[in-house]
Amino acid sequence: MAVAEARAAPAAPSLPVAPRRGAWSAFARHLLRDPYALAGISIYVVFLVVGLTAEWLAPYDPMEILFTPEGGLAASLPPGSDHWLGTTNLGRDIFSQLVMGTRPSLIVGLSAAVAVASIGTVVGLLAGYFGGWADQLLMRLTDIVLGLPFLPFVIVVTALLGPDLHNIVLAVAIMLWPNAARVIRSQVLTLSQRQFVEAARVTGAGEWRILFVHVAPSVLPFSALYGAFAVGWAILTQASIAFLGFGDSSAISWGTMLQDAYASQALDRGQFFWFMPAGLCIVLVVLAGFLVSRGYEDLLFPKLRDDK
Amino acid sequence: MTELLAVRDLAVAYANGTVHAVDGANLTLRRGGMLGLVGESGCGKTTLARALMGVLPGGARITRGEARLDGTDLVALAPAERRARLWRDLAFVPQTAMSALDPVYRLRDQMREVLCDRGGLSRAEADMRAAELFEAVGLHPRRLADYPHQFSGGMRQRAAIALALALRPKLVIADEPVTALDVIVQRQVLDTFRSLSAELGLSAIIVTHDISVVAYLCDQVAVMYAGRVVEHGPTDAVLEQPSHPYTMGLMNAFPDLESDEAVLAPIEGSPPPLSDPPPGCRFAPRCPFAEAICTREVPPPVTLAPDHWSACHRAPEAAALRQRARDPLTWRDVAEAAA
Amino acid sequence: MPYLIRRLLHMAFVLWAVATIVFLMFRLMPGDPSAAFIDPTFTVEQQQEIRAQFGLDRPLPEQYLIYLGNLARGEFGLSFRQRQPVIGMVLDVLPNTLLLTLTALLIAYAFGTLLGALMAWNRGGRFEAVSVPLVLTTRAAPEFWVGMVMLAIFAFGLGWLPSGGANTAGAQYTSEWDRILSLDYLRHLALPALTLAIYLQGLPALLMRSSMLEVMQEEFVTMARMKGLSERAIMLRHAARNALLPLVTAFALGFGQSVGGNVVVENVFSWPGLGRLLADAIANSDYPLAQCAFLLIAFVLVLMNFLADLLYGLLDPRVAHGRG
């Protein structure tokens, strides 16, 4: 049976094009077309500007204890023209704290993104390209990290190494790099089979050259995606650590502001102007990362797009 | 002749309405008949089959024509009324039963779903009927307790046939029912269809790209090209005395089992893009016998014998053309002329 | 069943690795490991005693072996502060954490699954356009802040619910069950559980949505349509049922992660659970207690990862029969 097929020679199935450098322009186009992504980028830009110009924007020193013209402590003032968001129970200007608190969040978010993306990319590239024991090691490390509780681990690391921001970044990076490495590894596995890699091999390019010149550029969009994921996680984690009191209490951050409000019975007194703005700022920055990466994720993992 | 299904000038358009996967298809099936719907991949045969079932992929819709089943135009029916007829009047056998059977339910539950929900049977009645159906397709009723993945490919296909027969539909449409199977299993599944046809008087449309399936199973054949049916008639007549140049070309690509001379001359060129089909006869650009009229006017069906027609302007000269079509050189000339 | 044995061995390996990391974290950090945990007000003799008691005066490899041996016997040592076995203290608060986690997860998954299914069903509609960004917002909100807002509104503002703890102070109960089944306990549980659920529902909602969308492309859904089944039957019986598979796994994984992730919510609501115990132990430099709480949280996590694997196999007949 099945002798004659009433079919012309079947066309070769078109393979999805490797996300090489073209992926970056696709990324740019996606950002401009997707309203969510555009909103996310706008939020980032606003907070970056605020963070960079915080000294000029903040009307007061965020730690300074302020007094009223009559000489009394300017404590627990409601929002007004002098203090846009009111003052804390110790007479500190909440708006100034909010503006200055942008910095630690952005620093933590961005450094965690860079750390996760770079560790994940290098390990993923090596494990995927060379396979063997490097690959095995990556897989086992991933399993182990999956067995460590995220927040408790960060708490213990900061408690033991000290409450500096870079220790929080370190702990977050330890917990998040394996995800990135695993995805990049599987990308490298499929890429190594592709024609342009074969072609490079035929022309006699060395293994390292193939890896970093031909394969690496194609996985960078994935590194960027996992970096973007890390931004949100790191900011949330830093805020949680600060709230729990394991952060650097001398540095103003949104987390310490919320901890201060909580410990000073702001909830009890219904001082929403104290604890709402900092929380909303965290929501906005983390949400911005989600909005940017969400559509981009669809772009990189197109299995869910219904263009059938 | 008692006509069960009559499709007239049916057209199916995709999303924007400019691409017609099916564009004016005509088809008839008599009661108890087995019709082979044959053509290359992309000619619209699967779309036509799904259009008859009324389940088209997102964005596709029927833009004109009619499909009368026992006199009722399915296209004109209101959606609810149409849904009420599905599976009771016409049922479907998919290409790969693996993906078409729900993986998380046992076959018994999938049978019950159809028999109870759509057929109004009680559970006990449904289970009895399911056992009968399994026996009818050569499966042990015990296998009803299994999940789809526990079946082999051929058994799964037979289970899908049993499921299609559940409500004694007037018509079964099978989309490439044996393509995914290996040769020996193909034969078993085709024999299942044959015995069902003989014993139950099953009426079916078998969609396939494989002419040998048609030759083995069908008493009627409709040849599709670029969204239209170009030749329609009794299997013997069409396969032995093709009257449309496209069918002639197909038969050339199909080694003649009776004679020793293996011609094997594939048709040069490729089908036209459905987004921009040529005017007139769609096969004209590849046809060695095309004349001026062929590129201008859509050829109407020309009746050659009762039940046998060909949509070709030169159908009356079919016998002479058939002689010339046997010569591979005839086809090569078109290719050279086109180049 | 070799598959089960393979997974068990894998779980044992991860548990050993985690225990080793905990050992290294608590002893190999820069500086004297005991310094962080021994109160400077202790006398020299007390410090010596504590070092000897925890084997800190012996070489590291030996300490490691003693540590593993103790773990195997279920001995976690004495609390610096309370001078009682830490394992008892940890097990005392474990039910509170498990109950909080389970309640929150049940609410979150019931709500999230439904929401996700509706989002997929209304693909491209206004409902989806509004709910997807909303769900993302709940994922972006820090749990402790959501908890603070809840407290400010429902506990302090409206006075409907208590502001913290698991039971009203001074209340008497005949047994642990009596305590947990009391209305008082439920009222204390409501806010922390709701706060956690608000965060947790996002994952099942998004997961269900994408899983449904994927299943809706499957041929068997088209076939269900050809069978003339009602849209409801198609969506519930076929699309939703198949889409649920990854959610069961996610539930088990989520349970494991929540037990540790509860730390902040337990602290906001002063909920006497493992997370609060861990945070307090670290703040008080009670090193054996912190270590034990951490190990238990990690153990639940690894166990749930393992169960998620097994559940997946049990629920998907293809996997169940495909593996030896």
Side-chain angles (χ1 to χ4, degrees):
Chain A
M1 195 87 13
V3 222
E5 290 203 346
R7 188 204 299 232
S14 57
L15 289 165
V17 183
R20 298 197 74 186
R21 290 174 186 86
W24 290 108
S25 59
F27 182 38
R29 261 180 282 126
H30 147 70
L31 288 183
L32 295 176
R33 213 178 290 153
D34 182 352
Y36 292 133
L38 210 57
I41 289 285
S42 315
I43 297 173
Y44 270 159
V45 170
V46 169
F47 277 106
L48 264 177
V49 170
V50 170
L52 290 174
T53 59
E55 263 102 6
W56 292 286
L57 286 178
Y60 302 94
D61 179 339
M63 296 303 281
E64 187 189 349
I65 292 170
L66 304 169
F67 295 90
T68 56
E70 294 81 43
L73 190 65
S76 298
L77 294 179
S81 54
D82 282 349
H83 305 283
W84 293 356
L85 292 174
T87 56
T88 72
N89 64 330
L90 291 181
R92 292 178 173 135
D93 183 60
I94 294 172
F95 179 73
S96 302
Q97 294 194 339
L98 190 71
V99 168
M100 293 302 283
T102 308
R103 284 187 174 171
S105 292
L106 291 180
I107 291 171
V108 163
L110 294 178
S111 13
V114 170
V116 169
S118 43
I119 303 173
T121 306
V122 171
V123 178
L125 278 173
L126 296 179
Y129 195 76
F130 293 108
W133 64 266
D135 201 20
Q136 283 301 313
L137 188 68
L138 169 66
M139 286 311 184
R140 292 295 84 77
L141 280 177
T142 315
D143 289 338
I144 295 169
V145 168
L146 280 175
L148 289 171
F150 191 98
L151 205 52
F153 178 80
V154 183
I155 292 172
V156 172
V157 168
T158 46
L160 293 171
L161 291 185
D164 303 331
L165 289 184
H166 57 250
N167 289 332
I168 296 178
V169 171
L170 174 76
V172 169
I174 290 176
M175 293 305 285
L176 291 184
W177 73 266
N179 279 332
R182 239 173 148 145
V183 168
I184 285 166
R185 165 193 172 268
S186 62
Q187 282 303 310
V188 173
L189 283 182
T190 58
L191 281 169
S192 315
Q193 316 294 326
R194 295 279 173 78
Q195 280 179 345
F196 66 92
V197 174
E198 283 302 321
R201 205 165 274 147
V202 170
T203 59
E207 295 291 323
W208 289 99
R209 191 181 153 73
I210 294 174
L211 182 57
F212 284 103
V213 176
H214 297 276
V215 177
S218 307
V219 302
L220 285 183
F222 290 87
S223 320
L225 178 67
Y226 279 83
F229 284 151
V231 174
W233 274 99
I235 292 174
L236 283 177
T237 307
Q238 187 269 333
S240 302
I241 295 291
F243 175 78
L244 290 173
F246 297 114
D248 185 353
S249 52
S250 64
I252 287 292
S253 74
W254 295 331
T256 52
M257 284 176 71
L258 290 170
Q259 202 264 336
D260 194 12
Y262 178 80
S264 314
Q265 274 95 41
L267 310 185
D268 215 343
R269 291 193 296 268
Q271 291 169 321
F272 283 86
F273 55 86
W274 190 353
F275 60 84
M276 287 309 280
L280 286 174
C281 282
I282 298 176
V283 173
L284 274 176
V285 179
V286 177
L287 182 64
F290 288 170
L291 292 178
V292 173
S293 51
R294 195 181 82 95
Y296 192 38
E297 197 181 3
D298 286 351
L299 212 67
L300 293 178
F301 303 97
K303 72 182 167 114
L304 294 177
R305 281 188 304 167
D306 37 359
D307 45 8
K308 205 171 175 180
Chain B
M1 186 191 84
T2 52
E3 212 168 63
L4 176 67
L5 177 75
V7 178
R8 296 272 171 269
D9 194 33
L10 195 75
V12 180
Y14 276 93
N16 44 22
T18 55
V19 180
H20 280 80
V22 176
D23 196 1
N26 296 301
L27 208 68
T28 46
L29 173 67
R30 65 177 175 76
R31 206 175 298 283
M34 286 276 213
L35 172 74
L37 181 60
V38 65
E40 315 172 43
S41 50
C43 73
K45 55 189 193 302
T46 293
T47 306
L48 176 55
R50 288 184 179 243
L52 291 176
M53 292 303 298
V55 176
L56 286 163
R61 65 201 160 82
I62 296 176
T63 50
R64 62 167 203 275
E66 55 175 43
R68 291 190 181 278
L69 182 69
D70 249 356
T72 314
D73 184 5
L74 298 172
V75 178
L77 285 180
E81 228 174 311
R82 171 143 209 184
R83 187 162 74 76
R85 284 168 185 267
L86 284 175
W87 221 255
R88 299 165 72 94
D89 278 2
L90 67 173
F92 192 82
V93 176
Q95 175 168 3
T96 45
M98 182 70 222
S99 52
L101 296 169
D102 192 325
V104 300
Y105 295 106
R106 297 170 194 278
L107 260 298
R108 172 170 292 124
D109 294 321
Q110 311 205 26
M111 280 286 189
R112 276 181 188 163
E113 176 176 54
V114 167
L115 290 165
C116 302
D117 274 30
R118 303 279 298 118
L121 267 59
S122 72
R123 272 187 166 215
E125 288 167 344
D127 288 353
M128 274 171 58
R129 172 96 178 111
E132 277 170 34
L133 286 162
F134 258 43
E135 267 165 7
V137 297
L139 290 171
H140 197 289
R142 200 178 48 220
R143 301 301 304 261
L144 280 164
D146 287 346
Y147 288 99
H149 69 271
Q150 291 169 286
F151 285 70
S152 69
M155 293 168 107
R156 211 150 35 218
Q157 210 65 30
R158 276 188 264 170
I161 296 171
L163 209 50
L165 296 175
L167 303 179
R168 301 183 223 280
K170 294 173 182 164
L171 170 66
V172 168
I173 300 173
D175 183 13
E176 304 272 9
V178 297
T179 307
L181 307 173
D182 67 56
V183 178
I184 297 163
V185 182
Q186 281 194 347
R187 184 62 161 258
Q188 292 167 351
V189 172
L190 290 179
D191 284 340
T192 307
F193 270 111
R194 259 190 163 179
S195 68
L196 290 170
S197 164
E199 288 159 26
L200 305 177
L202 177 73
S203 310
I205 295 178
I206 311 288
V207 178
T208 182
H209 64 267
D210 188 344
I211 290 177
S212 49
V213 168
V214 176
Y216 190 73
L217 198 60
C218 303
D219 55 331
Q220 294 271 313
V221 61
V223 181
M224 255 188 113
Y225 182 78
R228 288 180 189 152
V229 175
V230 293
E231 186 168 0
H232 193 305
T235 307
D236 294 349
V238 174
L239 297 192
E240 276 157 33
Q241 292 170 322
S243 302
H244 191 283
Y246 175 64
T247 323
M248 297 174 195
L250 276 188
M251 297 318 294
N252 272 353
F254 177 51
D256 194 336
L257 300 174
E258 281 156 38
S259 79
D260 300 332
E261 44 169 339
V263 224
L264 262 179
I267 308 173
E268 299 285 345
S270 52
L274 290 170
S275 53
D276 182 25
C281 175
R282 293 189 169 178
F283 187 60
R286 296 167 78 186
C287 180
F289 315 122
E291 294 177 332
I293 186 174
C294 299
T295 54
R296 275 200 322 270
E297 281 171 38
V298 178
V302 178
T303 306
L304 303 160
D307 277 5
H308 189 177
W309 55 260
S310 163
C312 174
H313 290 294
R314 301 187 68 182
E317 316 161 49
L321 300 182
R322 200 149 49 230
Q323 282 303 321
R324 288 172 56 195
R326 293 248 164 85
D327 184 355
L329 284 175
T330 310
W331 298 90
R332 207 169 298 158
D333 290 347
V334 192
E336 275 157 19
Chain C
M1 204 173 157
Y3 174 69
L4 184 67
I5 291 170
R6 255 202 335 270
R7 296 313 303 171
L8 275 170
L9 281 175
H10 179 259
M11 181 170 77
F13 162 74
V14 174
L15 279 178
W16 165 77
V18 169
T20 305
I21 288 171
V22 169
F23 174 81
L24 294 176
M25 270 197 317
F26 283 97
R27 325 247 169 139
L28 278 190
M29 290 295 164
D32 182 354
S34 57
F37 303 103
I38 294 177
D39 201 299
T41 57
F42 288 0
T43 63
V44 177
E45 287 73 32
Q46 276 175 316
Q47 292 190 25
Q48 294 290 333
E49 185 201 334
I50 286 169
R51 285 213 175 83
Q53 184 185 340
F54 294 96
L56 291 174
D57 50 350
R58 303 192 198 172
L60 262 182
E62 200 184 328
Q63 283 186 43
Y64 178 59
L65 290 179
I66 293 170
Y67 164 82
L68 285 185
N70 284 342
L71 284 192
R73 285 195 303 275
E75 281 172 24
F76 295 86
L78 297 179
S79 158
F80 282 150
R81 295 271 151 159
Q82 317 262 339
R83 294 276 155 187
Q84 51 171 304
V86 289
I87 185 71
M89 299 169 68
V90 167
L91 289 179
D92 272 351
V93 298
L94 184 64
N96 286 331
T97 286
L98 295 182
L99 267 168
L100 171 61
T101 306
L102 197 63
T103 312
L105 274 172
L106 286 177
I107 299 172
Y109 272 71
F111 177 82
T113 308
L114 197 68
L115 178 64
L118 286 174
M119 288 195 284
W121 203 335
N122 296 298
R123 175 93 222 241
R126 197 171 295 171
F127 179 77
E128 198 202 22
V130 174
S131 44
V132 168
L134 260 177
V135 169
L136 290 176
T137 306
T138 62
R139 301 276 298 160
E143 287 164 286
F144 65 87
W145 176 69
V146 174
M148 286 168 66
V149 177
M150 300 284 256
L151 275 178
I153 296 174
F154 295 107
F156 297 114
L158 300 169
W160 290 353
L161 291 162
S163 65
N167 288 99
T168 306
Q172 297 293 315
Y173 299 100
T174 52
S175 71
E176 182 70 5
W177 283 111
D178 184 34
R179 181 180 75 82
I180 285 173
L181 293 175
S182 66
L183 183 68
D184 184 48
Y185 188 81
L186 197 66
R187 280 166 49 79
H188 281 84
L189 181 65
L191 282 183
L194 199 60
T195 302
L196 267 177
I198 287 175
Y199 173 76
L200 291 172
Q201 54 78 34
L203 182 68
L206 295 175
L207 207 57
M208 185 66 184
R209 174 179 164 274
S210 59
S211 174
M212 268 284 267
L213 287 177
E214 215 168 323
V215 172
M216 277 158 70
Q217 302 282 327
E218 296 270 358
E219 182 74 0
F220 61 78
V221 173
T222 311
M223 286 297 289
R225 221 160 249 141
M226 286 184 181
K227 286 171 188 163
L229 300 172
S230 68
E231 194 64 17
R232 230 179 101 85
I234 296 169
M235 285 299 150
L236 293 179
R237 212 181 286 153
H238 297 284
R241 171 66 179 79
N242 275 277
L244 274 175
L245 289 175
L247 268 91
V248 177
T249 320
F251 186 94
L253 291 175
F255 191 95
Q257 285 156 9
S258 270
V259 167
N262 281 351
V263 176
V264 271
V265 168
E266 288 188 358
N267 275 280
V268 175
F269 294 97
S270 316
W271 183 258
L274 263 186
R276 189 172 152 79
L277 190 75
L278 175 73
D280 283 351
I282 288 178
N284 293 331
S285 305
D286 195 341
Y287 141 66
L289 185 60
Q291 179 179 285
C292 182
F294 188 94
L295 278 171
L296 192 66
I297 291 171
F299 178 72
V300 174
L301 177 60
V302 174
L303 189 72
M304 292 320 282
N305 287 352
F306 167 74
L307 275 183
D309 250 9
L310 289 194
L311 268 177
Y312 185 76
L314 281 178
L315 285 168
D316 189 338
R318 284 163 296 187
V319 181
H321 294 269
R323 285 163 169 176

